[in-house]
Amino acid sequence: MAPRISACRNRIGPPSSRTTRSPQASLPRDRPWLSVSTAIGAPTSTNRNKATAIAARAAESMEAVANNITSEIAIYAAHTTARSITNAIARLGNRAGRSPSTTASPVTSALTDTPPSADDDLPHPLEPPVCQADPQRAAVVRTVRTQCLEQQQNMDLDVFVTAHHAEWDRLEHLLHRSRRLTGAEVDELVTLYQRTSTHLSLIQSTAPDPLLTTRLTQLVARARSTVTGTRRATWRDAARFFTEGFPAAVYRSRRWWIPAALISVAVAVVIGWWIGAHPEVQSSIAAPDALRQMTRPGGEYETYYSSHPAGSFAAQVWTNNAQAAAMCLVLGAFLGIPVLWILFLNMLNLGVGIGLMSSAGRLDTFLGLILPHGLLELTAVFVAAGTGMRLGWTVIDPGPRTRRAALAERGRAAVGMAIGLALVLFVSGLIEGFVTPSGLPTWARITLGVAAEAAFLVYVYVLGGRAVRAGELGDVEEAARSAELPTAA
């Protein structure tokens, strides 16, 4: 110890192996590992020490870069989250905006502005100028920004649910309230209903979550039912239907059922002339004895209307005719082709009767039996057939609206038409059951039939025309229709 202490105090020269302790085998974090030579003089670095020094400096540089990237990730995540929350709060303050397409309330907005892309310019703290001079570092920053953008939607949904779940719970509590709500609670219910509708639209458009969307959809539906109430049919609705809706629907479809009536009657007349002028055709229908049994005085054509009690016969005729009209209305959706077949069958039966009775020289008797009830009955069938063909044409050409909207309107009109025509056919059934087989003169029976037909036409053209000019469509009331988005003409 004495020589070493003496050398250090006197500053004679550099320490040597004789005066110094051998170095320990340790690796400091802040400088390379140096070995001390056995020669007297300054310490020197070996090749191994050089490689170790380079590796240490590289590790230190990589650690610094990783720390910087981690900081940039945190800064960018905080920046995007704060911006999203700010925009959401700002937009939720103005809820009376555009009409939505996915909610039941006419309020909606967007959760955030147009989402930024990975190539957008960021403020200085997120992209320092050194990134512009270092392409590799800029690429790393862009990757980090892209990953943060992919996570932004999830972060927004969590923040949004946390911010508004209390309002949803309060709305559900008000909906479950058994006692009658006070005025303030009703106002709160309406406000929460509008807010929740907006929230549902926001979530569906930005970050759809199945469970959350299902819950809010059910909540909004129940709130809408509570706020708007359930509409009940009244006598006023029935009066409006028979004074405006039904006649307007028949009037609007006149361009379909009037041509159908004219063509059908012409077909029946042609078939009757063909059968009456060709005995071979008559023989193909039935045997001569059977034909004489049908067409003779007091034969089957005359006794058909009195073969059953008037009441049961009228009910049977009404049921058959209503079924034929309903088939025309329903089967019209199949492009109207089944409707044409139903019309042909009816006209074929009428034509056969005209042909056989005219060949027997008793056409006047046949017309006296068929006209009292047949005028109104066949008109109702023609109206049903025209409406069915119109419905079938809507499938082919819906016009400026969507096919779904056009078919919905025509279908609702067809349902209303079925109800109205059932009443018309009920009147014709009463005439057929009680007037046609009665002992009234032929001219009196025909007069009653013509009067019933004229009353129906006046009903359609006067009341229906007036309602159509006033804007009636023959559909349900506007409040009961589903909302439609505007379409280009």
Side-chain angles (χ1 to χ4, degrees):
M1 292 292 294
R4 185 180 65 180
I5 296 174
S6 177
C8 291
R9 287 180 177 178
N10 297 329
R11 311 287 184 181
I12 298 175
S16 63
S17 59
R18 297 186 182 92
T19 60
T20 60
R21 182 180 300 174
S22 300
Q24 300 293 328
S26 62
L27 180 62
R29 294 172 57 90
D30 55 349
R31 59 182 180 275
W33 181 21
L34 300 179
S35 61
V36 181
S37 64
T38 57
I40 299 175
T44 59
S45 299
T46 62
N47 292 334
R48 178 183 177 185
N49 292 337
K50 290 181 181 180
T52 304
I54 294 174
R57 285 194 297 271
E60 181 177 342
S61 177
M62 292 175 64
E63 183 179 0
V65 171
N67 292 334
N68 292 337
I69 293 177
T70 303
S71 301
E72 290 174 359
I73 293 176
I75 294 174
Y76 186 77
H79 171 74
T80 53
T81 303
R83 180 173 61 180
S84 176
I85 296 174
T86 302
N87 290 336
I89 294 175
R91 288 182 176 274
L92 286 175
N94 182 14
R95 288 178 292 275
R98 303 173 298 277
S99 296
S101 59
T102 56
T103 64
S105 175
V107 285
T108 187
S109 61
L111 181 61
T112 60
D113 290 333
T114 302
S117 63
D119 296 330
D120 292 341
D121 294 332
L122 290 178
H124 175 77
L126 298 181
E127 190 171 337
V130 68
C131 294
Q132 302 176 1
D134 188 354
Q136 183 177 4
R137 183 179 179 84
V140 173
V141 172
R142 282 195 296 271
T143 302
V144 171
R145 294 170 62 185
T146 303
Q147 295 175 353
C148 291
L149 284 173
E150 294 175 353
Q151 299 175 357
Q152 181 177 354
Q153 296 295 335
N154 294 332
M155 290 187 294
D156 287 347
L157 181 61
D158 296 336
V159 172
F160 198 76
V161 171
T162 303
H164 299 290
H165 74 89
E167 295 176 325
W168 306 335
D169 294 340
R170 175 59 179 170
L171 177 59
E172 190 168 5
H173 174 72
L174 292 176
L175 293 176
H176 280 100
R177 184 73 61 86
S178 58
R179 64 176 179 83
R180 188 171 183 177
L181 299 179
T182 63
E185 289 174 338
V186 171
D187 293 338
E188 183 183 8
L189 175 64
V190 174
T191 302
L192 291 176
Y193 160 62
Q194 294 176 341
R195 290 182 182 177
T196 306
S197 300
T198 304
H199 298 164
L200 176 61
S201 177
L202 298 177
I203 292 173
Q204 287 179 330
S205 59
T206 57
D209 179 78
L211 295 178
L212 184 59
T213 301
T214 301
R215 181 197 175 191
L216 293 186
T217 300
Q218 296 176 352
L219 198 60
V220 168
R222 290 168 50 202
R224 175 185 172 85
S225 177
T226 303
V227 171
T228 60
T230 303
R231 189 178 184 278
R232 297 180 180 179
T234 61
W235 287 109
R236 173 182 170 274
D237 297 324
R240 175 191 170 276
F241 172 75
F242 287 109
T243 58
E244 298 179 9
F246 174 61
V250 178
Y251 182 82
R252 292 189 67 206
S253 60
R254 68 190 185 280
R255 292 184 177 87
W256 287 89
W257 62 264
I258 291 179
L262 296 177
I263 295 174
S264 299
V265 171
V267 170
V269 171
V270 170
I271 293 175
W273 168 82
W274 181 57
I275 293 175
H278 297 80
E280 65 277 9
V281 177
Q282 300 175 22
S283 61
S284 65
I285 296 175
D289 293 338
L291 293 178
R292 284 191 296 268
Q293 184 66 24
M294 288 188 294
T295 58
R296 67 178 177 83
E300 295 180 4
Y301 271 112
E302 293 185 26
T303 59
Y304 168 75
Y305 298 99
S306 58
S307 58
H308 300 282
S312 61
F313 182 75
Q316 181 181 359
V317 169
W318 176 44
T319 303
N320 293 336
N321 293 335
Q323 183 179 0
M327 291 178 63
C328 289
L329 293 171
V330 173
L331 298 179
F334 297 95
L335 305 181
I337 297 176
V339 178
L340 298 176
W341 178 249
I342 294 174
L343 275 181
F344 176 76
L345 291 180
N346 281 271
M347 293 305 102
L348 179 62
N349 292 332
L350 180 60
V352 169
I354 293 175
L356 294 180
M357 293 295 283
S358 64
S359 65
R362 307 192 67 225
L363 181 60
D364 55 343
T365 303
F366 179 77
L367 294 179
L369 292 173
I370 202 70
L371 288 179
H373 66 274
L375 291 175
L376 188 60
E377 176 184 312
L378 290 178
T379 300
V381 174
F382 294 148
V383 170
T387 304
M389 288 187 291
R390 185 187 184 194
L391 182 63
W393 183 254
T394 303
V395 178
I396 301 174
D397 183 15
R401 297 172 298 173
T402 62
R403 182 171 284 101
R404 179 179 180 181
L407 285 175
E409 179 184 337
R410 296 284 188 269
R412 291 191 297 266
V415 172
M417 194 87 73
I419 298 174
L421 291 178
L423 182 59
V424 174
L425 290 172
F426 177 75
V427 175
S428 70
L430 291 178
I431 296 174
E432 187 173 0
F434 292 94
V435 175
T436 300
S438 67
L440 294 175
T442 302
W443 65 268
R445 298 198 306 268
I446 295 177
T447 301
L448 288 176
V450 171
E453 175 71 6
F456 177 73
L457 294 179
V458 169
Y459 167 75
V460 169
Y461 275 86
V462 174
L463 295 182
R466 182 189 305 166
V468 169
R469 287 188 293 271
E472 179 64 42
L473 300 176
D475 199 356
V476 295
E477 292 184 353
E478 185 176 0
R481 304 173 199 163
S482 58
E484 297 181 10
L485 293 175
T487 56

